[in-house]
Amino acid sequence: MNISETEKEILDRITDPFYALDQNGNFTYINKAASRILQQDREKIMGKSVWSVFPETVKLPLYNQYKKALEKQKTVSFEMYYPPLKLWFSIKAYPSQKGLSVYFQDITKQKHSVLNRESHYESLFENNPDAVFSFDLDGNFLRVNPAMEKLAGYTEEELCKISYMPLILDENLEQTNEYFMEATRGITQNYETKIRHKNGNIIDLKVTNMPIIIGQEIVGVYGIAKDISNQKRTEKLLFESEKLTAVGQLAASIAHEIRNPLTSIKGFLQLIKSTVKEVRSDFLDIMSDEITRIEMITSELLVLAKPQALDFKYEDLNRIIEDVVMLLSSQALINNVEVITDIEDLPNVKCIGSQLKQVFINLIKNSIEAMPNGGEVVISAKLFSSKEILIQVVDQGSGIPNEFLSKIGTPFYTTKEKGTGLGLMTALKIIDSHSGKLEISSLQNKGTTIEIFLPIEAEAKTK
């Protein structure tokens, strides 16, 4: 490519680096700015091949880009790092039949600034304590940070093969899809949902979805998620505590009003049975049974009402469970139910033995009554950790529908025809006073499992 003296004079005056090559890649011109940046004496490299003067470039994008420009006679524009000079260049090469005209700029400072910014973003992404991830417009994972891997239990490689949908619980999927679609329309969304961890655990999440916008076009969705499972559990415990307090106050009032007249009625009934012969004895027996039932309900109300005793003592949990099983063995036999125990040799537990006995009576009795056609009740107890014991009561009854599970333990809510709902609520109250935890899971037509997590060294709760 030949350049006239006038053109050379003009090109030498411009501040942008410029050089020209013939079709063989030999220098036909290089201006002062280019000579200075490339640290070459332009008089010495004139006529020489760019590949001999800068042999490292043969393995860099420069070689293929120049070849492409000459062969296709199309302008090429690209960025390249040149290791010998430790510089970044922005390069434009304009082809002609005679060779290439090349304009370039040193963009090292700008590039470092961008790289630093990208490093900051990368660090923020990788080290964020919250789960951070990105989706394409179809909801497929593109990238996740380590916190997201820990939250869901899956590796980045596993997650990037799926969308978010398999993780979301069925009952939350429709609503979550709506939030995601709003984010793809450019509207940031904040909401709560539930996912299933790889190990099967359910995790409550607080999620923010925001659109990824490049060149005024929405190309995907960013997500940030925080595990709020502990917060949800705390809220539930607070609600249960407030509910128990309210019920306790109501129970105290009811029990007080019922007990005195009930004592009088029971006394007069006994007097009638012993003195009045004309009254049918079966009628009196029915009345007596119903009064006994009212007394039982009143006793359960009082357990809810009064503060728990503080005389915690070390008791043999094995013996407590065995006594309850023996007590209910006749009822189990009548209902054709087999009670199976699988109890490890457990350490003594600091507790109120009579109250735990009442808990096990309520739970095992419920399990027996849930199987009118017979079946098995399995009671197991083992060390869950060095400080906690796990007791399970598993039956093969009709189970509890999901929509009713959340109501179980509410006073006067029961699935039994003659139940009051107070038995399970009393059990919840007692286990709570022992700093323990009672959880219920059930599958309809398959049975119910009740788990009690009981600390070995329980301290009395006064509230």
Side-chain angles (χ1 to χ4, degrees):
M1 181 176 180
N2 295 320
I3 298 177
S4 67
E5 291 301 319
T6 302
E7 289 172 330
K8 289 180 181 179
E9 186 177 346
I10 294 171
L11 290 170
D12 266 344
R13 290 179 181 177
I14 66 174
T15 56
D16 290 338
F18 170 84
Y19 60 81
L21 304 173
D22 63 20
Q23 287 187 324
N24 296 318
N26 299 316
F27 283 103
T28 58
Y29 178 75
I30 178 168
N31 72 355
K32 291 180 180 178
S35 176
R36 183 178 64 257
I37 290 176
L38 297 177
Q39 301 177 20
Q40 294 289 333
D41 185 336
R42 58 178 177 167
E43 300 300 330
K44 291 182 179 180
I45 66 173
M46 289 294 290
K48 291 184 178 180
S49 168
V50 65
W51 316 120
S52 63
V53 177
F54 303 103
E56 303 86 356
T57 55
V58 174
K59 296 180 180 180
L60 297 176
L62 190 79
Y63 182 84
N64 288 328
Q65 290 289 346
Y66 283 5
K67 184 178 179 182
K68 174 182 173 183
L70 286 169
E71 288 178 352
K72 297 188 177 182
Q73 287 294 295
K74 287 186 178 180
T75 301
V76 293
S77 179
F78 59 98
E79 293 179 357
M80 184 191 79
Y81 180 68
Y82 185 53
L85 296 179
K86 297 181 180 179
L87 296 177
W88 278 91
F89 293 117
S90 173
I91 302 170
K92 283 188 177 181
Y94 300 89
S96 70
Q97 295 300 323
K98 296 180 180 180
L100 290 174
S101 298
V102 181
Y103 293 86
F104 66 99
Q105 288 181 317
D106 179 358
I107 59 168
T108 306
K109 287 184 179 180
Q110 299 95 306
K111 201 68 177 178
H112 283 170
S113 176
V114 170
L115 290 174
N116 285 337
R117 189 162 60 247
E118 289 177 352
S119 295
H120 291 159
Y121 288 140
E122 182 69 17
S123 178
L124 181 62
F125 181 88
E126 288 292 326
N127 300 310
N128 199 311
D130 292 333
V132 184
F133 40 88
S134 59
F135 302 113
D136 63 18
L137 292 175
D138 294 321
N140 299 307
F141 283 100
L142 297 175
R143 194 174 174 204
V144 305
N145 72 343
M148 179 59 187
E149 292 180 304
K150 182 178 180 181
L151 179 70
Y154 295 92
T155 65
E156 182 175 27
E157 183 181 359
E158 290 173 319
L159 289 172
C160 288
K161 292 178 181 177
I162 61 173
S163 73
Y164 65 84
M165 296 181 194
L167 301 182
I168 306 295
L169 265 60
D170 290 344
E171 60 264 31
N172 297 100
L173 185 56
E174 183 178 352
Q175 187 67 59
T176 302
N177 285 341
E178 290 179 12
Y179 288 126
F180 180 80
M181 292 309 297
E182 286 296 298
T184 65
R185 297 184 188 108
I187 306 169
T188 296
Q189 301 292 302
N190 295 287
Y191 59 95
E192 293 182 6
T193 190
K194 295 176 185 286
I195 68 167
R196 191 179 300 279
H197 190 277
K198 189 176 183 179
N199 63 16
N201 290 341
I202 305 301
I203 301 173
D204 290 280
L205 294 184
K206 186 174 184 179
V207 181
T208 298
N209 284 156
M210 61 199 84
I212 301 173
I213 302 174
I214 298 177
Q216 298 184 334
E217 181 182 356
I218 298 172
V219 297
V221 172
Y222 277 126
I224 301 173
K226 182 186 287 291
D227 184 349
I228 57 170
S229 301
N230 288 336
Q231 177 185 328
K232 286 289 184 181
R233 279 193 288 269
T234 301
E235 289 173 358
K236 183 179 179 182
L237 287 172
L238 181 61
F239 173 74
E240 293 296 333
S241 175
E242 291 173 347
K243 183 170 67 175
L244 286 171
T245 300
V247 170
Q249 293 170 348
L250 175 64
S253 175
I254 293 173
H256 178 72
E257 295 297 328
I258 290 176
R259 267 193 142 187
N260 290 336
L262 191 62
T263 301
S264 299
I265 293 170
K266 192 172 183 180
F268 281 116
L269 181 61
Q270 290 171 343
L271 181 63
I272 290 171
K273 288 178 73 173
S274 61
T275 59
V276 181
K277 305 300 181 183
E278 293 81 4
V279 181
R280 286 178 55 176
S281 62
D282 56 339
F283 287 176
L284 295 174
D285 288 340
I286 291 171
M287 292 172 66
S288 180
D289 288 343
E290 291 302 307
I291 289 174
T292 300
R293 183 166 176 268
I294 294 172
E295 284 184 320
M296 180 200 70
I297 294 171
T298 306
S299 298
E300 290 182 332
L301 284 170
L302 286 173
V303 170
L304 294 174
K306 66 185 180 182
Q308 299 300 315
L310 301 180
D311 54 338
F312 276 52
K313 298 177 182 177
Y314 285 99
E315 301 273 3
D316 185 347
L317 191 62
N318 302 57
R319 182 66 180 271
I320 290 174
I321 296 174
E322 287 170 2
D323 287 348
V324 172
V325 170
M326 185 175 295
L327 179 67
L328 296 175
S329 59
S330 58
Q331 183 178 350
L333 188 63
I334 292 170
N335 287 272
N336 195 28
V337 172
E338 182 182 3
V339 180
I340 301 170
T341 57
D342 179 17
I343 303 172
E344 293 181 359
D345 187 16
L346 301 171
N348 287 350
V349 176
K350 194 174 183 182
C351 64
I352 302 174
S354 60
Q355 291 184 355
L356 288 187
K357 187 174 289 187
Q358 184 178 356
V359 169
F360 296 135
I361 289 173
N362 280 331
L363 298 184
I364 298 171
K365 189 169 177 287
N366 284 347
S367 292
I368 293 171
E369 292 173 353
M371 296 183 290
N373 299 320
E376 292 181 352
V377 177
V378 179
I379 304 156
S380 63
K382 63 181 180 180
L383 277 174
F384 184 73
S385 69
S386 61
K387 297 181 179 180
E388 198 171 33
I389 290 172
L390 170 62
I391 304 108
Q392 290 183 314
V393 180
V394 183
D395 66 48
Q396 298 173 329
S398 56
I400 305 167
N402 283 333
E403 59 268 28
F404 298 145
L405 264 179
S406 61
K407 298 179 182 179
I408 295 297
T410 301
F412 310 113
Y413 178 85
T414 178
T415 56
K416 294 191 291 187
E417 184 179 348
K418 293 186 176 181
T420 63
L422 294 174
L424 190 52
M425 190 163 195
T426 301
L428 286 165
K429 175 81 172 178
I430 291 171
I431 295 302
D432 179 68
S433 73
H434 282 70
S435 301
K437 184 169 60 174
L438 188 151
E439 296 180 349
I440 304 173
S441 58
S442 188
L443 290 174
Q444 213 163 354
N445 300 320
K446 289 190 177 180
T448 300
T449 298
I450 296 179
E451 293 184 326
I452 298 173
F453 296 89
L454 194 66
I456 296 171
E457 296 284 343
E459 293 297 334
K461 292 177 71 173
T462 57
K463 292 184 179 181

